[in-house]
Amino acid sequence: MWTIADKTVSSRLLLGTARYPSPATMKEAIQESGSDIITVSLRRESVGENNNERFWDYIKNCGAHILPNTAGCHSVRDAVTTAHMARDLFSTHWIKLEVIGNDETLQPDPFALVEAARILNDDGFEVFPYSTEDLIVAEKLVSVGCKIVMPWGSPIGSGQGLRHREALKTLRQRLLGITLIVDAGIGKPSHAAAAMEMGFDGVLLNTAVALAQDPVRMATAFGQAVTAGRTAFEAGMMQSKDGAEASTPTIGVPFWHEEARL
C-alpha cells in the first residue's frame, strides 16, 4: 500500500485518460493496470475525441481517485481558474498543475508554475506540479507548500525515457521528504521500472499505453514494471563495480599441489 497526499492506494502507477481508441478500451486498460489514480484534462477532454457521455460517466464512476489537470494552460490565471472548475466538477482538492511555457517542447514555465502553485496551495488544493528535473524549481515548489513534485523524464509524448538520470537522482537525494513522481516521457515499461529503482515514489504516463497496438496488455506491462522496480528498490539492489567478482566462493574447492600433477 502507498499513502499519497491524503489517500491510500495499492498501485504506484498513475494513468492518463487521453487518446485511447475508445472509452471501453480506456476503462479496461485502467482496470488491468491496477492503477488507483487517473488524471483527466478538463480543457482538452471537453473539446476532444472523448467528449461523450460514456467517457465522462466512466471517469465519474470508475472508483479510482481522480486527479484533474490543467493541461493546455499557458498562464497563471488560466491554470488557477481551471483548477477551481475541476474542484467543483470532480469534488476533489487534488490538482495536477501544468503551466506550459513552450508549445513545441511543452516545457513548463517555471516562474508561472511556482506562482500558480503558491496560489492554489493557499486556496486549499493538494498540488501535483508538473515540472522539469531542475532542482531549484523543485525546491521553489516545495517552498510554496507543495508536498509532491512531478518532474518529467523527458518531454511529454516523446517516449525518450529518463533523459537526464543524474539530475533525477539528485532530486531524489535532495528531496527526501517529498513525494516524487516521474511524469512524462515514459515510453517503455523498462523506463518506468528504472524510475522506481531510483527510489521515485510513482510514475505517471498516458501516451505509451493509449497509443500501443494493444493498450490493455501494455497497461498490464506497465503495472508490473512499476511494482517490480519498487520491489527492487526496497530490497536493496547491488551496486555496480569496475571489476569482476566471482559469484561462487573458492572455499572448499579441491586443489592439487604441483607435485601431484607430475
Side-chain angles (χ1 to χ4, degrees):
M1 302 301 287
W2 175 36
T3 299
I4 175 172
D6 56 346
K7 307 292 184 183
T8 299
V9 297
S10 59
S11 173
R12 292 174 180 266
L13 173 63
L14 292 73
L15 209 56
T17 56
R19 307 184 71 183
Y20 286 87
S22 69
T25 300
M26 177 194 70
K27 177 179 179 179
E28 188 176 1
I30 293 170
Q31 291 174 334
E32 292 302 315
S33 74
S35 177
D36 299 307
I37 300 173
I38 59 175
T39 183
V40 59
S41 168
L42 196 63
R43 291 168 64 94
R44 288 180 177 165
E45 300 298 351
S46 294
V47 296
E49 61 187 13
N50 287 324
N51 187 25
N52 59 60
E53 293 183 3
R54 290 179 61 202
F55 174 80
W56 288 107
D57 285 346
Y58 177 71
I59 291 298
K60 293 180 179 180
N61 300 301
C62 66
H65 299 294
I66 307 299
L67 175 60
N69 68 61
T70 63
C73 293
H74 291 75
S75 70
V76 173
R77 180 178 179 179
D78 283 350
V80 170
T81 299
T82 301
H84 280 274
M85 291 172 61
R87 181 162 65 180
D88 292 341
L89 178 62
F90 295 109
S91 300
T92 179
H93 64 292
W94 283 15
I95 191 70
K96 180 190 172 190
L97 178 62
E98 299 183 30
V99 187
I100 301 302
N102 185 285
D103 286 330
E104 182 177 350
T105 66
L106 298 181
Q107 184 169 336
D109 179 336
F111 307 102
L113 181 67
V114 172
E115 177 60 15
R118 182 191 65 78
I119 293 171
L120 292 174
N121 275 306
D122 289 346
D123 287 344
F125 284 87
E126 187 72 63
V127 181
F128 293 60
Y130 160 66
S131 181
T132 64
E133 68 285 301
D134 188 283
L135 175 62
I136 305 305
V137 175
E139 290 178 334
K140 293 292 185 182
L141 289 167
V142 172
S143 74
V144 298
C146 294
K147 304 178 185 67
I148 298 164
V149 177
M150 305 180 74
W152 69 2
S154 51
I156 295 174
S158 69
Q160 296 177 20
L162 309 182
R163 190 167 61 172
H164 299 300
R165 294 193 178 210
E166 292 306 314
L168 289 169
K169 288 179 181 178
T170 298
L171 279 183
R172 182 66 286 175
Q173 292 165 359
R174 295 290 295 273
L175 301 176
L176 295 177
I178 300 300
T179 298
L180 295 180
I181 300 170
V182 173
D183 174 20
I186 299 296
K188 302 175 182 178
S190 58
H191 297 160
M196 300 305 294
E197 289 173 357
M198 290 166 60
F200 281 84
D201 298 285
V203 170
L204 191 155
L205 58 98
N206 187 172
T207 306
V209 169
L211 298 188
Q213 292 183 5
D214 188 335
V216 176
R217 293 187 67 189
M218 187 61 74
T220 301
F222 271 106
Q224 293 170 344
V226 168
T227 298
R230 182 65 186 185
T231 301
F233 171 74
E234 292 176 343
M237 296 173 291
M238 69 173 291
Q239 300 300 310
S240 61
K241 301 178 181 179
D242 292 333
E245 180 178 326
S247 58
T248 303
T250 57
I251 299 175
V253 175
F255 64 93
W256 289 266
H257 290 290
E258 185 66 26
E259 295 82 355
R261 300 200 190 108
L262 299 177

